[in-house]
Amino acid sequence: MIGPHSALPSPLAGEGGAKRRERGEGGAKRRERGRARGEGSSGGFTLIELVITLAILGVLASIAVPVAQVTVQRAKEHELRQALRDIRSALDAYKTAWDDGSIRRNAAGPSTGWPPNLAVLVDGVENQRSPKRTKIYFLRRLPRDPMHPDPDMPAEQTWGKRAYASEPTEPQEGDDVFDVYSRSTTKGLNGVAYNKW
């Protein structure tokens, strides 16, 4: 009888245990032979695993590329909106200054009160109401049209310009600059062509 503190017999003890030991040793020898021949787990990837991995990476890449393109386009559209807002605000400020007599009314220049070109907004004009004749500046720098393909072209030439006398549906350049627009006919993410913004 086995008491609570007596040693338990080893499962490998006795005649049955000897057979189990032989089987255990035989299994170990078989595993060693399999490794020597390249069988069993070698720690590398199988061809199926590599093909599946490449397929998953391909699907992820096909999703990521369009998302990246939309992100770049959205950033350029934001830049276009900001540039149009800045230039149009400067044009309005010029017209307001002309209306209140801060800008000299030149007989040779346009009589509409809009600037003759976009460069005037950056170069400034003499303030007629100032005793020191200081200049009024409307823009620090003229932004470029971010949709224009030529990065070497001067900023003023990247924009389409509409004169005050021209129709809104068919903008034409003239003696003054009433509005600006992008020359790009590409449609934006909102479905409207950039030259209609």
Side-chain angles (χ1 to χ4, degrees), residues 3-93:
H5 298 293
S6 59
L8 294 174
S10 170
L12 297 178
E15 197 173 300
K19 288 183 181 177
R20 277 187 232 118
R21 258 187 307 223
E22 287 173 13
R23 269 189 258 136
E25 289 172 6
K29 288 180 184 175
R30 269 185 264 130
R31 281 192 297 272
E32 286 178 24
R33 280 190 301 238
R35 285 189 195 122
R37 286 186 297 199
E39 296 173 359
S41 66
S42 61
F45 294 105
T46 64
L47 181 61
I48 297 292
E49 290 171 332
L50 288 174
V51 168
I52 290 172
T53 303
L54 290 175
I56 291 171
L57 289 174
V59 168
L60 291 175
S62 68
I63 293 169
V65 169
V67 169
Q69 289 172 339
V70 167
T71 302
V72 169
Q73 185 176 0
R74 187 172 288 132
K76 286 177 87 171
E77 286 184 3
H78 176 74
E79 192 179 339
L80 175 62
R81 276 190 200 94
Q82 186 65 44
L84 287 171
R85 187 178 302 122
D86 290 347
I87 295 172
R88 288 171 176 165
S89 295
L91 290 170
D92 291 341

